Amino acid sequence: MSIIEQRRTEIRAQETTYHVVVATRTDVDRAEPTPKVMITLEAGGPDGEPVVEGSLDLDVAVAATVADLVADELLSATGAARPTRRRSAGRPAQQGRPWNDELDAELEARWIAGESVAEIATSFERTPGGIRARLPRVGCDPENPGCYLPVPPSRRTDLDGGEPS
C-alpha cells in the first residue's frame, strides 16, 4: 500500500473528541494498482474511553457518490439544510488552466495590436482579471493598451550597445 495524500481532522462536540483521517492510496502489491480512499473515524469520551471507531475503504470512482449519500443522510438526521455550493456555471472554460508559450505569444500579439482586455478574455475563454494578471508576464503594460512595459534602468544597455551597467 502506498499513501498518496492524507488529511487529518479533529472535531470536538461537547465532551467527545472525533478523529477523522481520509487517505488516498494505491494497492501497489496488485497486478493493476487501483486508487482507493480510506476513511477512518475514531472518537473518545472525556476519559479517553472509545465511543466510536470504524473505517470505509472505497474505490475512488464511487467515493464522491458515497460522500454525497452520507452527507445527505447526516443532514437529514440532524434537520440541517445542505449548504449551497459555489456555482461555476458562468466560469470561463479556461479559467485557472496553465498558460503555455504559444498562448503567451498570442496574448502579447493581440495586446500590442490594440485589442481590449474584454476581447482577449472572451477569445481566450478566461476572465478579464486573468488576462490583466498575465500581461506583465509577457512584457506588456496592462495599464496602456498596445504598449510594452518600460525596461527598468538596471536592464537597459548603454548607447554603445554594451551590457547593462
Side-chain angles (χ1 to χ4, degrees), residues 72-160:
D72 287 344
E73 288 304 314
L74 289 173
L75 291 171
S76 174
T78 60
R82 187 169 184 89
T84 57
R85 292 188 177 170
R86 186 176 161 196
R87 303 177 94 192
S88 61
R91 180 179 165 184
Q94 298 300 315
Q95 181 181 349
R97 299 249 169 116
W99 289 79
N100 60 37
D101 292 341
E102 184 180 313
L103 291 171
D104 283 343
E106 185 179 347
L107 173 62
E108 178 184 358
R110 287 173 170 229
W111 185 252
I112 296 304
E115 285 190 47
S116 71
V117 169
E119 292 170 328
I120 296 171
T122 300
S123 174
F124 279 78
E125 297 183 20
R126 295 181 183 263
T127 63
I131 297 299
R132 277 191 217 92
R134 191 67 185 184
L135 284 167
R137 293 178 184 230
V138 298
C140 295
D141 186 346
E143 300 300 321
N144 297 305
C147 295
Y148 286 106
L149 287 168
V151 178
S154 63
R155 301 268 179 169
R156 293 182 190 154
T157 58
D158 60 19
L159 295 176
D160 297 330

Side-chain angles (χ1 to χ4, degrees), residues 8-125:
R8 297 176 176 269
T9 303
E10 182 177 284
I11 303 165
R12 293 192 180 147
Q14 297 169 347
E15 294 183 358
T16 304
T17 302
Y18 295 86
H19 297 275
V20 182
V21 178
V22 179
T24 306
R25 64 178 179 79
T26 57
D27 293 326
V28 292
D29 56 339
R30 293 187 175 184
E32 290 185 33
T34 54
K36 301 271 190 181
V37 174
M38 189 167 85
I39 304 165
T40 305
L41 173 65
E42 295 177 346
D47 297 323
E49 71 277 7
V51 175
V52 173
E53 64 180 328
S55 65
L56 290 172
D57 202 12
L58 307 167
D59 286 333
V60 169
V62 299
T65 303
V66 171
D68 284 343
L69 289 170
V70 170
D72 287 344
E73 288 304 314
L74 289 173
L75 291 171
S76 174
T78 60
R82 187 169 184 89
T84 57
R85 292 188 177 170
R86 186 176 161 196
R87 303 177 94 192
S88 61
R91 180 179 165 184
Q94 298 300 315
Q95 181 181 349
R97 299 249 169 116
W99 289 79
N100 60 37
D101 292 341
E102 184 180 313
L103 291 171
D104 283 343
E106 185 179 347
L107 173 62
E108 178 184 358
R110 287 173 170 229
W111 185 252
I112 296 304
E115 285 190 47
S116 71
V117 169
E119 292 170 328
I120 296 171
T122 300
S123 174
F124 279 78
E125 297 183 20

